[in-house]
Amino acid sequence: MNNNLRMMLGYLGFLPFGFLTILPWIIGEEFTFQSYFLLTVYGAIILSFLAGMSWGWNISNKKNLFIGISFSLISFFLIIIGYFYLEIALVIFAITFPLFYIFEKEANEFMQNENYLKLRRNLSSAVSGCFMLSFLTTL
């Protein structure tokens, strides 16, 4: 896949994070739980997708494969946690996306491409910021 398409799809994938973060400010605070719960579901889908891609990387040891699987499982459990304890799920997601970026930076050969590295860094930072902003607005 060429870099321009990868970058465009990456930034388009960020739009739901941004939209779901500001949605309660647009339509009213009574929809905060629904909007932020959908944010956790979407975050779980994206993190599981990213972690699933790790299966196709040139993995030199099985530890990296297990780490990728662990991120997918964490995503699934955060949906359940988010339903009962939304604030906790938001904080864990805010931490998990940068942790996945660090893992990916070490294990993914695409991260040697400076443009892809910047894309992933920007998206991970922005997504983490959406989760932190959402958490702060629930207080």
Side-chain angles (χ1 to χ4, degrees):
M1 179 185 312
N2 78 32
N3 279 338
N4 290 337
L5 180 59
R6 182 178 285 129
M7 292 182 74
M8 182 184 70
L9 292 174
Y11 286 116
L12 285 175
F14 171 75
L15 291 177
F17 285 108
F19 177 72
L20 291 169
T21 299
I22 64 169
L23 188 62
W25 302 347
I26 296 169
I27 63 174
E29 290 183 14
E30 62 271 10
F31 295 102
T32 298
F33 177 82
Q34 294 86 345
S35 181
Y36 293 167
F37 180 70
L38 288 175
L39 179 66
T40 63
V41 171
Y42 184 67
I45 291 167
I46 296 301
L47 190 58
S48 291
F49 169 74
L50 291 171
M53 287 184 358
S54 70
W55 295 23
W57 298 342
N58 183 13
I59 296 179
S60 59
N61 61 41
K62 294 189 187 284
K63 180 181 101 173
N64 289 340
L65 180 61
F66 289 115
I67 292 171
I69 292 169
S70 297
F71 276 105
S72 292
L73 292 173
I74 289 168
S75 297
F76 171 72
F77 287 115
L78 284 175
I79 294 172
I80 297 168
I81 292 169
Y83 185 76
F84 296 104
Y85 305 102
L86 182 61
E87 292 85 2
I88 293 171
L90 293 170
V91 170
I92 294 173
F93 266 124
I95 296 166
T96 305
F97 272 92
L99 287 177
F100 185 81
Y101 170 76
I102 293 167
F103 163 64
E104 184 181 20
K105 189 175 176 184
E106 297 299 319
N108 186 354
E109 61 192 31
F110 285 118
M111 293 298 244
Q112 294 173 2
N113 178 310
E114 183 139 347
N115 289 331
Y116 185 72
L117 179 70
K118 286 180 185 177
L119 168 75
R120 292 290 298 117
R121 184 191 63 224
N122 292 345
L123 290 174
S124 296
S125 299
V127 166
S128 184
C130 285
F131 281 108
M132 281 309 298
L133 183 60
S134 298
F135 167 71
L136 292 173
T137 59
T138 62
L139 299 179

